[in-house]
Amino acid sequence: LEESANKLLQEGERYQLELLLSGPYDEQPCRILLTAGAGGTEANDWVADLKRMYERHAQKMGYSLQIEDEQPGEVVGYKSVEMVISASTDADGGAHPYGWFKGEKGSHRLVRLSPFNANNKRQTTFAGVDVAPILDDNDLNDIDIPEKDLEITTMRSGGAGGQNVNKVNSAVRIKHLPSGLNVKCTQERSQAMNKDLAMKRLKAQLLAIAKEQRVAEIQEIRGDQVEASWGTQIRNYVLHPYKMIKDQRTGWETSNVQSFLDGDLEDCIAELLKASAMEEQEASLQENSTI
């Protein structure tokens, strides 16, 4: 009976959380890009830890996760990892992938005794996490970005992908000059296909950012705010001299760092969803009061 009651409480809390996931793109699949920051080998290893953490969390919550691209580090870990998270087809599977993971966007700071330091000194390193919705073509067709706002460069694709992908300049990077947003696509052998995919990703990210900044048009997006959002340190992972993971936005913290790194993120994410809902409500009230 007690087990049944606990299960009902958990299901009730999950239902309440899903009510908070009512943003225009929250139901969409999402693309997560992990990028090593300052710290060299230590940073590459930190990206590998974050990859494992998100893989385990997605599995625990019933999401489908697929690795799209990996750029290995020179010694260990990864320079970058790109993954796609989708809703499960199971009735009990995870829903609202973008809504659930969008709060992971930002800089993740790790403090620990580095196994790659000869003197085993404490070291601080960073990894960037970017999260963007994957939108249908119908949502993107009406978006027109002027050519003058884009800087398009091509390069050789690195990593796995066969001989051809390494010989041809098939990878494409598109920079949206007004916002400073960069999107890179390497997964296709064809440059034209990579350019098309990169444009779709750029449009999806710009739509999501416009919603974050509460502006009506993409042209109103402020580049300084995009840069600040990307560089914002959202969470500290301290493994030495004490053990503590703390979210900088809500103040949520835990000393059970191993459990968190093993994928138990739901309490932290739930706290952020509740705080974000409160902020959204306050912002709406302020907007209505000025009308």
Side-chain angles (χ1 to χ4, degrees), residues 98-141:
Y98 176 65
W100 184 255
F101 284 95
K102 64 185 177 184
E104 294 301 296
K105 177 181 177 181
S107 179
H108 294 240
R109 173 177 175 261
L110 172 69
V111 181
R112 70 174 182 180
L113 294 177
S114 173
F116 307 105
N117 186 300
N119 298 317
N120 199 32
K121 288 184 177 179
R122 186 174 62 174
Q123 188 167 334
T124 299
T125 190
F126 297 87
V129 177
D130 196 18
V131 185
I134 299 173
L135 304 181
D136 296 328
D137 288 350
N138 292 336
D139 297 315
L140 304 174
N141 287 338

Side-chain angles (χ1 to χ4, degrees), residues 173-238:
R173 178 186 283 117
I174 301 179
K175 181 176 183 180
H176 182 245
L177 298 174
S179 67
L181 193 65
N182 276 288
V183 175
K184 181 181 176 182
C185 188
T186 63
Q187 68 193 71
E188 300 294 340
R189 289 176 178 266
S190 159
Q191 185 183 113
M193 292 176 71
N194 276 328
K195 182 181 177 182
D196 185 52
L197 278 174
M199 279 300 299
K200 288 179 180 178
R201 293 181 189 179
L202 177 65
K203 289 179 178 181
Q205 285 195 262
L206 287 170
L207 280 175
I209 290 169
K211 176 68 173 62
E212 288 174 13
Q213 295 189 9
R214 304 180 69 83
V215 296
E217 301 291 337
I218 285 176
Q219 288 80 1
E220 298 175 50
I221 290 175
R222 290 183 53 189
D224 58 339
Q225 289 187 7
V226 173
E227 186 177 355
S229 172
W230 169 254
T232 300
Q233 187 177 301
I234 66 162
R235 195 175 298 138
N236 285 321
Y237 303 72
V238 181

Side-chain angles (χ1 to χ4, degrees), residues 40-290:
T41 299
E42 178 78 357
N44 293 342
D45 193 53
W46 180 217
V47 168
D49 288 343
L50 289 174
K51 171 180 178 283
R52 175 182 176 274
M53 182 181 81
Y54 288 127
E55 284 175 330
R56 292 203 167 196
H57 181 65
Q59 181 181 28
K60 179 179 181 181
M61 299 299 290
Y63 291 104
S64 171
L65 184 149
Q66 180 179 348
I67 301 297
E68 292 274 295
D69 184 61
E70 295 175 341
Q71 298 298 322
E74 294 176 4
V75 181
V76 297
Y78 305 94
K79 294 177 181 178
S80 66
V81 174
E82 188 176 322
M83 56 182 71
V84 169
I85 299 179
S86 309
S88 172
T89 54
D90 297 335
D92 297 329
H96 306 87
Y98 176 65
W100 184 255
F101 284 95
K102 64 185 177 184
E104 294 301 296
K105 177 181 177 181
S107 179
H108 294 240
R109 173 177 175 261
L110 172 69
V111 181
R112 70 174 182 180
L113 294 177
S114 173
F116 307 105
N117 186 300
N119 298 317
N120 199 32
K121 288 184 177 179
R122 186 174 62 174
Q123 188 167 334
T124 299
T125 190
F126 297 87
V129 177
D130 196 18
V131 185
I134 299 173
L135 304 181
D136 296 328
D137 288 350
N138 292 336
D139 297 315
L140 304 174
N141 287 338
D142 294 335
I143 301 173
D144 183 39
I145 303 176
E147 285 288 331
K148 65 180 178 62
D149 289 348
L150 300 175
E151 180 182 280
I152 303 174
T153 54
T154 60
M155 69 214 74
R156 290 191 177 187
S157 297
Q163 294 179 351
N164 181 61
V165 80
N166 291 318
K167 289 181 179 178
V168 181
N169 289 347
S170 58
V172 175
R173 178 186 283 117
I174 301 179
K175 181 176 183 180
H176 182 245
L177 298 174
S179 67
L181 193 65
N182 276 288
V183 175
K184 181 181 176 182
C185 188
T186 63
Q187 68 193 71
E188 300 294 340
R189 289 176 178 266
S190 159
Q191 185 183 113
M193 292 176 71
N194 276 328
K195 182 181 177 182
D196 185 52
L197 278 174
M199 279 300 299
K200 288 179 180 178
R201 293 181 189 179
L202 177 65
K203 289 179 178 181
Q205 285 195 262
L206 287 170
L207 280 175
I209 290 169
K211 176 68 173 62
E212 288 174 13
Q213 295 189 9
R214 304 180 69 83
V215 296
E217 301 291 337
I218 285 176
Q219 288 80 1
E220 298 175 50
I221 290 175
R222 290 183 53 189
D224 58 339
Q225 289 187 7
V226 173
E227 186 177 355
S229 172
W230 169 254
T232 300
Q233 187 177 301
I234 66 162
R235 195 175 298 138
N236 285 321
Y237 303 72
V238 181
L239 308 186
H240 184 84
Y242 55 90
K243 295 185 184 296
M244 180 69 68
I245 293 176
K246 183 172 183 177
D247 195 286
Q248 301 296 99
R249 300 157 296 181
T250 63
W252 182 94
E253 62 184 37
T254 180
S255 58
N256 192 351
V257 298
Q258 192 56 55
S259 175
F260 194 91
L261 291 171
D262 283 341
D264 293 341
L265 280 65
E266 51 269 36
D267 289 347
C268 181
I269 291 177
E271 196 68 26
L272 180 63
L273 285 173
K274 293 171 186 175
S276 298
M278 289 286 289
E279 289 177 9
E280 188 78 18
Q281 190 175 32
E282 290 172 5
S284 296
L285 288 172
Q286 287 180 356
E287 286 180 1
N288 291 335
S289 66
T290 57

